[in-house]
């Protein structure tokens, strides 16, 4: 009994001595490290699994770093991290990992700085695949070579997620399908291959259990997963920092992913033109990241109809087209760092709650935004080159009335223009009421000017002002030519008792009644008639002016035919002009037939005025009254005209014309 107790005591002393010796050996040879496995890249049932961290101490042998002596201190380790894996020590690693069969506590395994060939890597994968490890991460795989076909056994695994970063294949020629098939057919929930210059990935051979795929920072192109209908459970797909170019092809890629909810296509080379093919997105897609691409306004023609969160920051968008398809479910829209010149309306975003338009080219945001976007709860519009003006002040006032929705106020909202206000925060910017009303005053003055111009134009048309201007110009030109041809003749010599103005349709009365009774009766009256006194070669207007000026009186034979004659209007105008210029009563009006007022054109306002204010002679229908008519007419035009020597009454001196 005593011997047994002594042996037991010696055993415990030996163990304690071994532990102390090992601890000192570890502390002298390498730095103690605490390895923690982080599983936030591996979602399980939509949540992040928190892993208990336990210490694992490891040491390098004294001879070289290529020789490892692996020592596990605790058999209850949940997280294990190992580094410096080579072909020389891979057998020891496999032997170590073989101890963690399914049912063991180890769940998280991380290998760093791995430099092995393809078969060794597959042996590690196969060993881990049939262990208790659920989250397997390999970082910095260098000099991976000799890629060849491997019969991988996917059965009986507890694995949920695999992460591989910075994988470098040194083979120049190898079968791409052999490499990609191993990972494409993994029956796990999450797969991450990042920063590995991967150019392609195969579609799984059968319906895949992938719910999470992350191919961050690779060289993938538009050919990825085209016509692939095996990813029916995929919910999250991250393709950030690759070489995708066509947005329609990306949409076709997702069309078979019936469960896809989140897609990250940021930092690619995506473009979309209006002439491109139509887009066909997965109907389940609710969150899409298209930031940092080369997209323009046409992108709004190629968006998922059920999208709820859309990230389009850092593109080349100048405006949101009003004709775009309505995105009724969209709740969050990020348009920061684009080329917008105004806030987008919410006509196509009836459910929008969050809008980010920071770092655009918005000078004066439209105040209509708050009327069209009633459901928006937060607006991020800071760091724009605001132009401080009355309109911007109105925008701020309406924003305050709507409940204060600006995020980042007031630090991110600063005046950029004009220069004298540059750097002033919008909260400190104020304009007086008079300064803002100046614009309204200018607009009012402009409107009044337009109204005045319209009224003047209407009056000119109604009163035929252009016609009178044209006639005045012709009269002036005629007087100028006459003065130029006969500069010494300052006074016009009267040669006729009267100039007769009548319509051609009333010529029978003039020739048969008026002229015979005046020229052949008593008193020898000389009349100027256009048929016999107009000088050939001169214009009609010039002849009219000369005849009126050389006549003592102007007789106008008024009738309905008179008001229809354009030339009668000319003659009346020039005679009326002489009336005002010479202040002499030289007009005689004869009313041959009654003229109804309604048939007199509006431009004949002079005729209307003359008939209303002046006495006129009315041609009597009864013959018994005509003698009195002729007597009154003779009395109106009676004047003694100077007669050239040898000229008799009724003879015309043609040289005077």
């Amino acid at each position: 009994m005593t011997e047994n107790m002594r042996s037991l005591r010696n055993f415990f002393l030996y163990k304690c001595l071994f532990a102390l010796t090992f601890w000192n050996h570890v502390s002298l040879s390498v730095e103690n490290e605490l390895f923690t496995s982080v599983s936030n890249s591996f979602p399980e049932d939509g949540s992040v699994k928190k892993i208990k961290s336990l210490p694992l101490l490891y040491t390098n042998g004294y001879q070289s770093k290529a020789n490892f002596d692996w020592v596990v201190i605790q058999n209850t380790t949940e997280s294990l991290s190992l580094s410096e894996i080579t072909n020389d020590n891979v057998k020891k690693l496999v032997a170590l990992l073989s101890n963690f069969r399914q049912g063991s506590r180890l769940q998280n395994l991380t290998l760093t700085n791995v430099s092995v060939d393809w078969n060794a890597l597959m042996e590690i994968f196969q060993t881990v695949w049939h262990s208790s490890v659920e989250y397997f991460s390999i970082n910095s795989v260098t000099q991976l070579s000799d890629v060849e076909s491997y019969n991988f056994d996917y059965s009986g695994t507890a694995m949920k997620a695999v992460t591989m970063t910075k994988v470098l294949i040194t083979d120049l020629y190898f079968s791409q399908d052999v490499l990609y098939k191993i990972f494409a057919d993994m029956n796990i929930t999450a797969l991450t291959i990042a920063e590995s210059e991967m150019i392609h990935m195969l579609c799984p051979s059968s319906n895949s259990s992938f719910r999470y795929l992350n191919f961050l920072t690779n060289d993938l192109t538009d050919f990825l997963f085209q016509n692939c209908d095996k990813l029916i459970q995929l919910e999250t797909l991250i393709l950030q920092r690759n070489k995708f170019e066509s947005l329609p092809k990306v949409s076709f890629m997702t069309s078979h992913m019936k469960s896809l909810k989140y897609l990250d296509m940021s930092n690619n080379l995506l473009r979309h033109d209006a002439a491109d093919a139509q887009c066909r997105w997965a109907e389940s897609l609710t969150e899409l990241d298209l930031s940092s691409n080369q997209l323009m306004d046409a992108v709004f023609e190629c968006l998922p109809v059920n999208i709820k969160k859309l990230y389009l920051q850092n593109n080349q968008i100048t405006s949101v087209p009003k004709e775009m398809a309505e995105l009724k479910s969209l709740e969050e829209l990020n348009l920061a760092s684009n080329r917008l010149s105004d806030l987008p309306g919410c006509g196509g975003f009836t459910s929008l709650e969050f809008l980010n338009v920071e770092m655009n080219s918005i000078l004066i945001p439209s105040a209509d935004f708050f009327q069209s976007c009633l459901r928006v709860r937060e607006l991020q519009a800071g760091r724009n080159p605001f132009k401080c003006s009355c309109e911007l002040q109105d925008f701020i006032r309406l924003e305050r009335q709507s409940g204060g929705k600006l995020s980042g106020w007031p630090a991110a909202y600063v005046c950029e223009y004009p220069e004298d206000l540059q750097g002033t925060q919008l909260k400190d910017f104020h304009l007086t009421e008079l300064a803002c009303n100046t614009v309204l005053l200018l607009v009012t003055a402009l409107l009044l000017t337009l109204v005045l111009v319209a009224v003047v134009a209407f009056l000119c048309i109604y009163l035929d002002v252009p016609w009178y201007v044209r006639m005045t110009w012709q009269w002036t030109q005629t007087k100028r030519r006459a003065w130029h041809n006969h500069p010494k003749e300052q006074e016009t010599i009267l040669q006729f008792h009267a100039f007769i103005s009548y319509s051609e349709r009333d010529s029978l009365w003039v020739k048969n009644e008026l002229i015979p009774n005046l020229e052949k009766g008593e008193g020898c009256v000389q009349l100027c008639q256009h048929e016999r006194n107009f000088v050939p070669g001169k214009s009609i207007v010039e002849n009219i002016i000369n005849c009126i000026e050389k006549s003592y009186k102007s007789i106008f034979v008024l009738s309905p035919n008179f008001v229809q004659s354009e030339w009668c209007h000319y003659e009346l105008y020039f005679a009326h002009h002489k009336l005002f210029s010479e202040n002499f009563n030289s007009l005689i009006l004869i009313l041959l037939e009654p003229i109804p007022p309604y048939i007199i054109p509006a431009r004949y306002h002079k005729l209307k005025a003359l008939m209303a204010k002046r006495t006129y002679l009315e041609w009597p229908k009864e013959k018994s009254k005509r003698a009195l008519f002729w007597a009154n007419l003779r009395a109106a035009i009676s004047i003694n005209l100077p007669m050239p020597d040898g000229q008799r009454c009724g003879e015309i001196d043609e040289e005077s014309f």
Side-chain angles (χ1 to χ4, degrees):
M1 190 73 173
T2 305
E3 187 68 19
N4 292 336
M5 292 294 293
R6 185 180 297 111
S7 299
L8 184 61
R9 183 189 63 179
N10 292 336
F11 174 77
F12 278 107
L13 289 174
Y14 173 78
K15 288 292 184 182
C16 290
L17 180 61
F18 175 79
L20 289 173
T21 303
F22 168 71
W23 184 271
N24 292 332
H25 171 69
V26 170
S27 62
L28 290 173
S29 61
V30 294
E31 179 183 359
N32 295 342
E33 298 186 22
L34 177 64
F35 296 96
T36 302
S37 177
V38 180
S39 61
N40 58 349
S41 297
F42 311 132
E44 181 181 11
D45 299 330
S47 63
V48 176
K49 180 177 178 62
K50 295 183 178 179
I51 304 300
K52 179 181 179 181
S53 301
L54 294 175
L56 171 69
L57 300 178
Y58 71 93
T59 176
N60 293 337
Y62 290 107
Q63 296 179 357
S64 74
K65 290 186 178 181
N67 297 322
F68 282 80
D69 293 326
W70 308 99
V71 181
V72 180
I73 297 178
Q74 296 187 10
N75 195 28
T76 59
T77 301
E78 292 184 1
S79 300
L80 178 62
S81 181
L82 305 173
S83 66
E84 309 302 332
I85 313 299
T86 66
N87 285 324
D88 295 333
N89 56 37
V90 70
K91 295 296 182 182
K92 294 183 179 181
L93 173 63
V94 170
L96 172 67
L97 297 178
S98 298
N99 294 322
F100 298 99
R101 295 297 178 183
Q102 293 187 9
S104 174
R105 296 291 301 272
L106 184 62
Q107 296 181 358
N108 306 283
L109 176 62
T110 301
L111 303 181
T112 307
N113 295 333
V114 180
S115 179
V116 296
D117 59 26
W118 173 254
N119 284 327
L121 181 64
M122 288 297 98
E123 188 175 358
I124 295 173
F125 258 98
Q126 193 71 81
T127 304
V128 175
W129 201 262
H130 296 295
S131 69
S132 62
V133 175
E134 296 181 0
Y135 302 98
F136 183 30
S137 177
I138 302 181
N139 301 321
S140 186
V141 180
T142 60
Q143 298 182 358
L144 182 62
S145 60
D146 301 328
V147 178
E148 60 184 9
S149 179
Y150 189 91
N151 188 17
F152 196 89
D153 181 10
Y154 295 102
S155 63
T157 184
M159 189 73 67
K160 294 181 179 179
V162 172
T163 298
M164 299 184 66
T165 58
K166 298 182 179 178
V167 179
L168 176 61
I169 301 176
T170 58
D171 284 356
L172 295 179
Y173 302 101
F174 64 93
S175 175
Q176 299 283 341
D177 290 354
V178 169
L179 175 66
Y180 301 136
K181 181 176 175 58
I182 293 292
F183 300 101
D185 289 341
M186 286 183 173
N187 51 338
I188 57 178
T189 302
L191 173 63
T192 298
I193 302 178
E195 303 177 56
S196 301
E197 300 181 1
M198 182 171 62
I199 62 174
H200 192 54
M201 174 56 68
L202 294 178
C203 180
S205 302
S206 59
N207 288 340
S208 176
S209 59
F210 286 136
R211 294 172 55 192
Y212 176 93
L213 288 178
N214 185 349
F215 298 144
L216 171 70
T217 314
N218 284 288
D219 295 329
L220 297 171
T221 65
D222 297 330
F223 297 102
L224 179 70
F225 294 149
Q226 291 296 320
N227 300 317
C228 179
D229 57 356
K230 305 301 181 182
L231 299 170
I232 57 177
Q233 298 185 49
L234 186 62
E235 297 178 359
T236 300
L237 178 57
I238 299 175
L239 299 173
Q240 182 183 358
R241 297 186 185 279
N242 279 277
K243 296 182 179 180
F244 291 88
E245 297 182 0
S246 173
L247 189 60
K249 289 185 178 180
V250 172
S251 72
F252 295 150
M253 175 189 68
T254 69
S255 60
H256 298 290
M257 302 175 182
K258 305 301 181 183
S259 303
L260 187 64
K261 296 180 180 178
Y262 175 77
L263 175 62
D264 185 353
M265 297 299 303
S266 59
N267 291 280
N268 276 278
L269 306 172
L270 289 175
R271 294 186 178 185
H272 178 67
D273 297 325
D276 289 347
Q278 294 183 350
C279 298
R280 187 174 61 197
W281 296 91
E283 295 183 1
S284 58
L285 187 59
T286 58
E287 189 169 354
L288 178 60
D289 191 343
L290 296 174
S291 60
S292 300
N293 280 284
Q294 301 175 15
L295 298 169
M296 304 179 72
D297 301 357
V299 67
F300 290 96
E301 301 175 1
C302 181
L303 293 174
V305 293
N306 297 321
I307 196 72
K308 291 184 178 180
K309 296 182 179 180
L310 179 60
Y311 308 102
L312 288 169
Q313 63 269 30
N314 196 23
N315 278 285
Q316 301 175 21
I317 299 171
T318 59
S319 64
V320 178
K322 295 182 179 179
E323 306 81 25
M324 61 167 290
E326 188 174 1
L327 302 178
K328 297 181 180 180
S329 302
L330 187 63
E331 298 175 355
E332 183 176 343
L333 176 60
N334 192 332
L335 291 169
S337 300
N338 277 282
R339 302 176 182 179
L340 296 175
S341 59
D342 198 0
L343 295 175
C346 293
F349 319 123
T350 55
S351 300
L352 190 65
E353 297 181 1
F354 300 93
L355 176 63
N356 188 340
V357 290
E358 292 183 321
M359 293 181 288
N360 276 275
S361 302
I362 301 176
L363 299 178
I364 303 175
S366 174
D368 296 337
F369 173 81
F370 299 107
Q371 283 144 10
S372 65
C373 302
L374 298 176
R375 299 192 60 177
V376 171
R377 293 189 286 131
E378 182 178 322
L379 172 63
Q380 293 178 287
R383 291 181 284 180
N384 274 288
F386 294 112
K387 180 181 179 181
C388 289
S389 60
C390 294
E391 292 83 357
L392 184 61
Q393 190 165 267
D394 292 340
F395 171 81
I396 299 172
R397 176 176 53 80
L398 290 174
E399 191 277 335
R400 291 287 157 246
Q401 292 177 358
S402 65
K405 300 177 179 179
L406 288 179
S407 176
W409 180 271
Y413 298 83
V414 179
C415 296
E416 184 70 21
Y417 306 103
E419 292 185 2
D420 57 333
L421 293 174
Q422 189 173 20
T424 304
Q425 290 189 352
L426 299 193
K427 70 179 182 65
D428 300 325
F429 163 67
H430 301 286
L431 288 176
T432 63
E433 190 68 23
L434 180 61
C436 289
N437 282 341
T438 302
V439 177
L440 181 60
L441 181 62
L442 292 175
V443 172
T444 303
L446 179 61
L447 290 176
L448 291 176
T449 302
L450 292 176
V451 171
L452 180 61
V453 170
V455 170
V456 171
F458 172 78
L459 292 176
C460 287
I461 295 174
Y462 181 77
L463 300 177
D464 205 9
V465 172
W467 184 89
Y468 287 104
V469 172
R470 188 169 66 252
M471 290 300 100
T472 302
W473 171 255
Q474 291 184 357
W475 180 83
T476 304
Q477 290 296 101
T478 301
K479 296 292 289 183
R480 185 186 64 80
R481 286 195 298 270
W483 180 85
H484 180 74
N485 294 332
H486 306 284
K488 296 182 179 181
E489 296 181 4
Q490 299 296 327
E491 184 176 354
T492 303
I493 300 175
L494 296 177
Q495 298 180 8
F496 303 98
H497 287 88
F499 168 73
I500 309 173
S501 176
Y502 59 93
S503 171
E504 193 63 30
R505 296 179 180 179
D506 299 327
S507 60
L508 290 178
W509 182 85
V510 172
K511 295 176 181 179
N512 296 332
E513 296 288 345
L514 181 62
I515 295 178
N517 281 283
L518 290 180
E519 287 188 342
K520 298 180 181 179
E522 298 179 358
C524 191
V525 175
Q526 295 187 28
L527 299 177
C528 181
Q529 183 192 16
H530 69 275
E531 291 183 355
R532 65 186 184 187
N533 298 119
F534 276 12
V535 179
K538 291 186 178 181
S539 67
I540 297 177
V541 173
E542 188 174 356
N543 274 308
I544 292 174
I545 293 174
N546 287 336
C547 286
I548 291 175
E549 289 187 345
K550 294 181 179 181
S551 300
Y552 175 64
K553 297 283 186 175
S554 294
I555 300 175
F556 291 90
V557 181
L558 305 180
S559 69
N561 298 324
F562 183 91
V563 299
Q564 301 299 324
S565 173
E566 187 73 17
W567 292 112
C568 291
H569 192 197
Y570 293 159
E571 294 166 352
L572 178 64
Y573 171 78
F574 291 127
H576 197 258
H577 187 273
K578 179 181 179 181
L579 172 66
F580 281 96
S581 62
E582 298 181 3
N583 196 20
F584 180 68
N585 187 10
S586 61
L587 299 182
I588 299 175
L589 304 180
I590 298 176
L591 186 61
L592 184 61
E593 297 178 12
I595 304 175
Y598 64 85
I599 71 169
I600 302 178
R603 63 182 182 177
Y604 279 64
H605 60 91
K606 291 184 181 297
L607 177 61
K608 292 181 179 180
L610 289 173
M611 294 184 66
K613 297 179 180 180
R614 300 179 66 87
T615 303
Y616 54 84
L617 297 174
E618 187 173 357
W619 173 249
K621 299 299 181 182
E622 300 85 354
K623 292 185 178 181
S624 58
K625 298 180 180 179
R626 293 178 181 176
L628 180 61
F629 171 83
W630 296 119
N632 290 332
L633 182 57
R634 284 177 176 275
I637 61 176
S638 62
I639 185 176
N640 294 324
L641 296 178
M643 301 293 292
D645 295 340
Q647 182 177 343
R648 293 174 300 176
C649 182
E651 294 180 350
I652 304 301
D653 184 9
E654 295 182 356
E655 294 181 358
S656 62
F657 283 90

